[in-house]
Amino acid sequence: MIDMETLGVSVSSPIISIAAVYFDLTTGEIGDTFYKVVKLDSALEHGVVEPSTLSWWMAQPYEARKIFSATDASILEDVLKELSLFMLRDDGQEPICVWGNGASFDNAILSNAYRRFGMALPWQFRKDRDVRTIVDLAKRLKNFDALSSVLMSGVRHNALDDAHYQIEYVSAAYHALRD
């Protein structure tokens, strides 16, 4: 599961944090996690800020906005390299599926960032998966509201906490569709 925080909603949006979490779709079991904050100047150098998103961030709770003062932030190119190493580990498994929240959001923005740096995408393009689609299918086919079936813990708009939450409700949607 990939989740990011950005300063816009288009594919050229500045990325301010990236989280990735290995998980088992059938059990919801969580595996290794990755979380990095991008230095604000690096994010701004490699994206186009959307004023409405910046205004939205200003209205978020302090816990979510702490990302802007993170002392362990790295430049975007380094974060992408580290994410690639995290995703390309050789554990004998088939190529990973990469889940993102919205066909045009997380995975698309991340793919665009890799392209801008001339870096190879660390997953096969056929392995893109969309959180919103499985949630919608569960609702339409099984009348199951996956989003309301799970309570979020942690900080909303913290990429790692959001990724964990998305895993929970994607797994719940998957089970609803199987039953």
Side-chain angles (χ1 to χ4, degrees), residues 12-29:
S12 61
S13 297
I15 299 169
I16 56 175
S17 69
I18 302 173
V21 180
Y22 279 92
F23 74 104
D24 183 320
L25 177 64
T26 61
T27 65
E29 184 178 327

Side-chain angles (χ1 to χ4, degrees), residues 14-55:
I15 299 169
I16 56 175
S17 69
I18 302 173
V21 180
Y22 279 92
F23 74 104
D24 183 320
L25 177 64
T26 61
T27 65
E29 184 178 327
I30 303 286
D32 292 340
T33 63
F34 172 93
Y35 177 72
K36 296 288 179 183
V37 175
V38 176
K39 288 184 176 184
L40 189 56
D41 59 341
S42 179
L44 295 174
E45 183 180 339
H46 299 289
V48 179
V49 175
E50 295 176 21
S52 61
T53 303
L54 190 56
S55 294

Side-chain angles (χ1 to χ4, degrees), residues 11 15-16 26 37 51-52 83 94 118 125 149 158-159 165-166 179:
V11 294
I15 299 169
I16 56 175
T26 61
V37 175
S52 61
L83 179 61
E94 68 178 67
F125 75 94
S149 73
N158 169 285
Y165 177 50
Q166 288 164 196
D179 294 339

